């Protein structure tokens, strides 16, 4: 997969601390003079946000077919690449994504069982060379992650309603990606203080920006 310089993504199961780490990373980079674009997946562009609503709608639990889910994620991704990510990279900005294509590998390819080959073929079509040069996986035990999300007190969306064994498969998918693609995927222990996690995250990102 061809990667794009200055494009980074954070991955991990819910409760791994992605939002906190992204905010800390952007604050640090902007203080150093970098122009940073932040986005979430699915979403980031108006069309992509509408697709997000469909994907996460709890009323579609048990109704949405796995291949439909796969295609919708990639449709949302194609739009945000064309509308936001590629123009930002062309302008020399840093792009930080809360999830990107490795989510599809872990959730649909690994946890849903659709397979890496199908996901890779579709990812190549969707991303067309616009793939993060570095993805950092915030790794945490599934039950620890679920305990963190429970504290939010929010109603779970369609994916959050999945059982623990589903998220264990997702986690193993992420760890497999870090093992098999070390040039562009790194996993770090997220079950530590936010400051300790950030130290590792910041080091990994800065190594790519020099």
């Amino acid at each position: 997969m061809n990667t794009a310089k200055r494009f980074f993504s954070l991955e991990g199961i819910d409760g791994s601390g992605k939002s906190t780490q992204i905010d800390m990373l952007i604050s640090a980079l902007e203080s150093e003079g970098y122009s940073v674009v932040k986005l979430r997946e699915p979403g980031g562009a108006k069309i992509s946000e509408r697709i997000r609503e469909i994907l996460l709608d709890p009323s579609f639990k048990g109704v949405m077919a796995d291949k439909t889910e796969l295609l919708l994620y990639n449709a949302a991704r194609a739009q945000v690449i064309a509308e936001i990510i590629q123009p930002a990279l062309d302008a020399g900005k840093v792009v930080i994504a809360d999830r990107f294509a490795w989510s599809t590998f872990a959730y649909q390819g690994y946890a849903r069982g659709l397979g890496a080959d199908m996901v890779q073929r579709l990812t190549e079509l969707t991303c067309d060379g616009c793939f993060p040069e570095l993805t950092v996986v915030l790794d945490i035990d599934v039950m620890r992650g679920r305990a963190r999300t429970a504290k939010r007190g929010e109603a779970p969306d369609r994916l959050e309603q999945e059982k623990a064994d589903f998220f264990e498969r997702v986690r193993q998918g992420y760890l497999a990606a870090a093992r098999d693609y070390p040039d562009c995927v790194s996993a770090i222990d997220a079950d530590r203080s936010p400051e300790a996690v950030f130290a590792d995250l910041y080091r990994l990102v800065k190594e790519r920006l020099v």
Side-chain angles (χ1 to χ4, degrees):
M1 197 76 66
N2 294 324
T3 59
K5 299 293 290 182
R6 294 194 166 205
F7 183 13
F8 303 94
S9 64
L10 267 70
E11 298 280 3
I13 61 173
D14 289 331
S16 60
K18 294 188 306 303
S19 297
T20 297
Q21 293 300 319
I22 286 174
D23 288 344
M24 292 173 71
L25 179 59
I26 291 175
S27 178
L29 292 177
E30 289 182 336
S31 71
E32 297 176 16
Y34 291 98
S35 179
V36 184
V37 173
K38 171 186 175 183
L39 59 94
R40 65 176 182 177
E41 255 226 346
K46 187 173 182 179
I47 292 172
S48 304
E49 290 289 341
R50 292 287 293 273
I51 295 173
R52 179 188 179 91
E53 293 173 7
I54 296 171
L55 279 163
L56 301 184
D57 189 334
S59 69
F60 294 138
K61 179 75 169 68
V63 177
M64 185 178 295
D66 292 345
K67 287 183 180 179
T68 301
E69 181 180 88
L70 172 66
L71 292 166
L72 285 173
Y73 272 108
N74 278 276
R77 185 169 302 137
Q79 182 64 33
V80 78
I81 287 173
E83 188 174 336
I84 296 178
I85 297 175
Q86 193 61 63
L89 295 175
D90 290 344
K93 298 179 181 179
V94 175
V95 176
I96 309 290
D98 183 345
R99 300 193 186 279
F100 201 67
W102 286 112
S103 281
T104 303
F105 174 82
Y107 278 79
Q108 286 74 50
Y110 225 83
R112 297 289 192 210
L114 293 177
D117 289 344
M118 179 184 295
V119 171
Q120 182 173 351
R121 291 197 302 272
L122 190 53
T123 297
E124 289 173 349
L125 173 66
T126 300
C127 295
D128 192 24
C130 191
F131 197 81
E133 68 166 310
L134 175 67
T135 292
V136 179
V137 175
L138 304 183
D139 181 50
I140 192 169
D141 176 79
V142 169
M143 298 314 296
R144 287 281 291 152
R146 289 168 75 88
R148 287 182 177 183
T149 57
K151 292 179 180 179
R152 299 173 187 168
E154 301 172 354
D157 61 37
R158 185 180 66 87
L159 282 173
E160 290 170 344
Q161 292 179 10
E162 295 288 350
K163 296 180 180 179
D165 61 336
F166 174 84
F167 291 105
E168 183 58 41
R169 293 195 299 275
V170 171
R171 183 190 181 197
Q172 294 307 316
Y174 280 132
L175 294 177
R179 181 187 66 241
D180 296 340
Y181 300 90
D183 289 345
C184 60
V185 185
S186 295
I188 60 177
D189 179 9
D191 196 8
R192 297 175 291 162
S193 70
E195 293 76 18
V197 175
F198 179 70
D200 286 345
L201 170 64
Y202 182 71
R203 173 181 54 82
L204 290 167
V205 170
K206 285 294 287 184
E207 287 174 353
R208 303 294 181 117
L209 289 174
V210 294

